[in-house]
Amino acid sequence: MAEKLLEIKGLKTWFKTDDGVVRAVDGVDLHIDRGETLGVVGESGCGKTVTARSVLKLIDMPPGRFEAGEILWKGRDLIPVPAQEMDKIRAREIAIIFQEPMTSLNPVYTVGDQIAEVLRQHDKLSRKQAIAGAVEMLRLVNIPNPGKRVHDYPHQFSGGMRQRVMIAMAMSCKPQLLIADEPTTALDVTIQAQILELMQEMKDKLGMSIMLITHAMGVVAETCQRVVVMYAGKVVEEAPVEALFGNPRHPYTQGLIRSIPRVDRAAAQKERLEAIPGSVPSLLNPPVGCRFAARCKFAMDVCVKAMPPLKEVGPGHRVACVL
Amino acid sequence: MAGSTPVSLTADPPVAAASATPARKARFSPGREAWRRFRRHKLAMASTVILGLIVAAVVLGPLVWRVPINEIDFSAKLEGPSLAHPFGTDDLGQDILARMLYGGRISLAVGLAAMLVACFVGVLVGAIAGMSRGSVDAGLMWLADLFLALPQLPLLLLIIYLFRDSLTKVLGPEGGVFVMVVAVIGGLRWMQVARLVRAQILSIREKEFIEAARALGASNSRQVVRHILPNALGPVIVAGTIDVAAAIIAESTLSFLGLGFPPDIPTWGRVLFDAKDTMDMAPHWVLFSGGAIFLAVLSINFIGDGLRDALDPRRVL
């Protein structure tokens, strides 16, 4: 068994709102081993992003609050760590890239300045050295002519290029874990593939782990070793990628896989794309039993009474379902 | 650290690395873009030229026009413009041009210094309010509202009436009044800047790039100084420009009411004040001093207008 780099145990991140407490993340368990890519999938609003931001403690508090659980980074719980120390862990040990490359760069500085700033903040470097480092990082993320582009402003880059710059910034301090929060959602398909390939390349070169948050099952199949499926703030299934696609156990996972659009069938002979009926339950007042029960075609009486715990159904394959 | 990063397989030829000198100026920096937009604002460009001439005149003028400002000549009192006295003379036969060139320095300096005071206090209060939110924010904004509600002119007069003598003792007649006028005008004009900065910070701090900076380990103060304030600067510059004009007017008002600088320091407002009694006999006196204030304030306001168009982040062209 590989070393556990990050382990989240029973994490509950709740938000206080005027309408009540939103249980955005409600008891999530997952772990990432050194050097692996973990996919976290689920539909919008299931708590993927909140989980990711919780790891770096980027949740605004208030209204957010860690209600329970532990975030163990190399065995050390991050939840009680003070803000100043968190600043040192960010970027140097755990880095994150966001969904929106168009707005994630500061418009008033050149990209070189921004990468250099990250470098200088964490390592003692002169301005010249830092700019040279920024050029090197841009080269690493395959930006053509990095020596010139380093002095360009974000608005002179396309979306895909900006995401590369974001990756360069995130990678510049060689973190051991990169959290990618839907890094390709805002990009078109060909660029998507390039970015995913780039992340894979970075991972191999620098030997880091990736937590890839996405709602695209195709992306997961392409890049991840293990997958965690989340639904309404909870983990419903966790499996190696082959097992998940070959033998999905949770009805929600099955539904997700069936809803992947296929290009290899002509439109005429295609049956209609299968959507999962209904929508995510309110996290203000989640049902007592299995949260998927209302949308599940196999739901039974036991399902609405209590949430089934995660149980082992194969090597590394756990599912929270009575079936 | 850069040296140890493995070079990508698709690396560029080493030529690119050699050209990677930070000396190269970026051609499309935000500043340059703003300048390009500013140049298209004709009124603002004309105003910049006029203001530039006024500034040059008051800075260099006394060096060229070497007539003393306090040479009394009763044989030539209240004369209209002539070659010897281009702006005419006042009731003591003093050369008005010389007095205005000298006084303009003080009028403009007061405007600039009061603006700097107002902007400094405003940015500080606005930044603290915007970043802290909660009760601190509410308290500071309440304070700003309170200051806005004060009747400014009577307050200015009261403060100056109370403190002029003690400050003059410490800093001398000229310095004391300058510090006081600047502090009072600046101290009563920071509220708009504070509100502006607070609003900017509240909106910018939610932007993705601030979260990205935070995620990459930028501390709170670094986020404000490096990332938020530079993005909030545009409106502050515009407000500051307008403040310069307002401060010049305020100083003129004070001097006109006889509560600003002493009579031997001929600021524009002071000259206007001295001129008011002989308005019917020597209209040139009033016109030149009033005109100088009018022209300076008008051009500063137009420049502010042009800057607003140039620095508006929503404008793309």
Side-chain angles (χ1 to χ4, degrees):
Chain A
M1 192 77 198
E3 182 198 348
K4 279 177 185 167
L5 199 59
L6 176 77
E7 188 172 14
I8 299 176
K9 280 186 187 166
L11 179 71
K12 293 185 179 181
T13 310
W14 293 4
F15 293 88
K16 234 183 220 134
T17 66
D18 290 342
D19 302 324
V21 175
V22 176
R23 305 179 179 195
V25 172
D26 200 16
V28 162
D29 295 278
L30 60 85
H31 67 91
I32 298 170
D33 296 335
R34 202 175 273 282
E36 82 169 342
T37 304
L38 175 77
V40 177
V41 294
E43 62 201 291
S44 304
C46 72
K48 301 170 302 211
T49 298
V50 175
T51 306
R53 291 182 186 201
S54 296
V55 172
L56 274 165
K57 303 220 296 181
L58 289 173
I59 306 285
D60 279 332
M61 311 210 173
R65 201 150 75 89
F66 291 131
E67 197 60 35
E70 290 178 314
I71 300 168
L72 297 172
W73 172 247
K74 295 193 277 192
R76 174 194 185 198
D77 191 3
L78 290 181
I79 289 179
V81 169
Q84 281 185 328
E85 232 172 296
M86 258 336 275
D87 286 343
K88 288 183 190 143
I89 290 175
R90 291 172 187 154
R92 198 183 278 182
E93 299 191 27
I94 309 173
I96 187 165
I97 51 179
F98 296 113
Q99 185 174 351
E100 285 297 332
M102 304 309 277
T103 51
S104 291
L105 290 166
N106 192 334
V108 303
Y109 295 114
T110 64
V111 299
D113 280 340
Q114 295 186 54
I115 301 173
E117 187 192 353
V118 180
L119 284 169
R120 293 184 69 181
Q121 198 164 290
H122 293 281
D123 302 304
K124 294 266 169 282
L125 289 176
S126 73
R127 199 189 128 76
K128 240 184 174 165
Q129 283 174 309
I131 291 285
V135 174
E136 204 55 48
M137 287 315 300
L138 288 180
R139 188 192 317 284
L140 201 62
V141 296
N142 300 336
I143 296 227
N145 204 355
K148 270 205 173 126
R149 299 292 287 186
V150 76
H151 300 296
D152 281 348
Y153 285 86
H155 70 266
Q156 291 163 282
F157 285 79
S158 68
M161 298 273 264
R162 284 189 217 185
Q163 194 60 289
R164 283 166 195 270
V165 172
M166 285 310 294
I167 293 176
M169 276 172 79
M171 298 283 85
S172 56
C173 285
K174 294 192 187 155
Q176 285 137 301
L177 173 65
L178 175 69
I179 300 175
D181 188 359
E182 310 206 15
T184 58
T185 308
L187 305 173
D188 67 57
V189 193
T190 46
I191 306 295
Q192 235 175 59
Q194 287 175 19
I195 294 288
L196 290 172
E197 198 178 316
L198 173 69
M199 282 175 41
Q200 200 65 35
E201 200 183 310
M202 296 279 102
K203 179 189 152 200
D204 294 342
K205 275 183 194 162
L206 305 177
M208 58 176 189
S209 310
I210 296 178
M211 179 171 168
L212 180 68
I213 295 167
T214 178
H215 53 241
M217 291 302 266
V219 170
V220 169
E222 198 73 31
T223 52
C224 300
Q225 277 98 59
R226 276 189 323 115
V227 189
V228 164
V229 181
M230 283 185 68
Y231 185 76
K234 278 183 181 296
V235 172
V236 293
E237 188 161 6
E238 178 190 345
V241 71
E242 304 83 14
L244 190 91
F245 285 98
N247 182 20
R249 299 293 295 266
H250 198 282
Y252 178 61
T253 316
Q254 292 167 4
L256 272 185
I257 292 173
R258 268 199 304 273
S259 64
I260 306 173
R262 302 266 304 254
V263 268
D264 55 348
R265 282 188 230 162
Q269 41 174 278
K270 207 184 282 188
E271 62 263 47
R272 287 191 56 192
L273 208 55
E274 225 174 305
I276 305 173
S279 60
V280 189
S282 161
L283 295 173
L284 267 175
N285 216 340
V288 193
C290 175
R291 289 178 180 188
F292 188 58
R295 297 166 77 184
C296 180
K297 46 186 168 184
F298 309 110
M300 297 175 287
D301 286 349
V302 281
C303 295
V304 289
K305 286 199 182 99
M307 177 77 200
L310 281 171
K311 63 171 193 265
E312 193 102 21
V313 290
H317 191 166
R318 300 193 300 163
V319 62
C321 184
V322 289
L323 288 173
Chain B
M1 96 127 254
S4 62
T5 14
V7 173
S8 152
L9 296 171
T10 54
D12 298 80
V15 189
S19 70
T21 43
R24 176 181 166 266
K25 271 261 187 277
R27 272 173 306 147
F28 295 102
S29 73
R32 249 165 203 275
E33 284 294 285
W35 171 234
R36 195 177 60 80
R37 285 197 292 263
F38 184 76
R39 266 184 322 200
R40 301 207 308 206
H41 200 294
K42 292 209 173 59
L43 219 46
M45 277 311 283
S47 297
T48 310
V49 173
I50 290 173
L51 189 70
L53 287 176
I54 294 177
V55 170
V58 301
V59 171
L60 304 172
L63 302 176
V64 179
W65 187 252
R66 308 192 72 100
V67 178
I69 62 164
N70 48 4
E71 195 184 54
I72 297 174
D73 176 9
F74 286 111
S75 65
K77 69 176 196 178
L78 293 178
E79 271 180 11
S82 64
L83 263 181
H85 304 289
F87 282 14
T89 57
D90 62 11
D91 54 353
L92 299 175
Q94 301 174 110
D95 183 66
I96 293 177
L97 175 63
R99 286 177 77 77
M100 280 181 49
L101 289 178
Y102 178 79
R105 287 181 171 184
I106 292 166
S107 289
L108 293 181
V110 164
L112 209 65
M115 177 273 283
L116 289 177
V117 170
C119 282
F120 179 78
V121 177
V123 167
L124 196 71
V125 171
I128 292 172
M131 286 311 284
S132 54
R133 301 199 257 196
S135 55
V136 177
D137 176 23
L140 286 172
M141 283 304 110
W142 182 78
L143 192 72
D145 286 342
L146 191 127
F147 265 83
L148 278 172
L150 290 173
Q152 304 228 335
L153 195 59
L155 192 72
L156 268 172
L157 296 179
L158 184 71
I159 294 173
I160 286 176
Y161 181 72
L162 288 176
F163 297 108
R164 178 155 65 174
D165 293 336
S166 46
L167 255 173
T168 311
K169 259 180 219 145
V170 183
L171 295 164
E174 205 165 322
V177 175
F178 183 82
V179 167
M180 185 172 58
V181 167
V182 164
V184 166
I185 296 175
L188 287 175
R189 296 206 65 88
W190 57 268
M191 295 80 73
Q192 285 90 344
V193 176
R195 286 178 151 191
L196 211 60
V197 169
R198 171 180 172 271
Q200 286 282 313
I201 284 187
L202 286 184
S203 94
I204 292 168
R205 60 178 286 160
E206 304 300 331
K207 293 267 164 71
E208 274 94 353
F209 61 83
I210 298 301
E211 189 170 26
R214 194 149 64 102
L216 290 169
S219 61
N220 252 339
S221 54
R222 195 186 185 97
Q223 284 169 44
V224 176
V225 176
R226 281 272 304 174
H227 294 279
I228 298 182
L229 281 183
N231 278 289
L233 221 54
V236 175
I237 292 174
V238 175
T241 320
I242 310 289
D243 266 359
V244 174
I248 291 176
I249 294 272
E251 185 275 323
S252 301
T253 311
L254 284 179
S255 297
F256 186 76
L257 293 172
L259 275 164
F261 288 89
D264 53 331
I265 302 168
T267 68
W268 292 344
R270 184 77 219 185
V271 175
L272 192 62
F273 170 68
D274 293 338
K276 72 177 194 309
D277 294 334
T278 53
M279 210 151 41
D280 47 353
M281 287 178 281
H284 65 273
W285 194 3
V286 182
L287 284 179
F288 281 121
S289 51
I293 298 172
F294 168 77
L295 211 58
V297 170
L298 190 69
S299 58
I300 290 172
N301 277 329
F302 278 138
I303 291 171
D305 222 28
L307 281 177
R308 188 176 51 228
D309 287 353
L311 297 173
D312 185 350
R314 278 165 305 222
R315 287 275 293 254
V316 192
L317 283 175

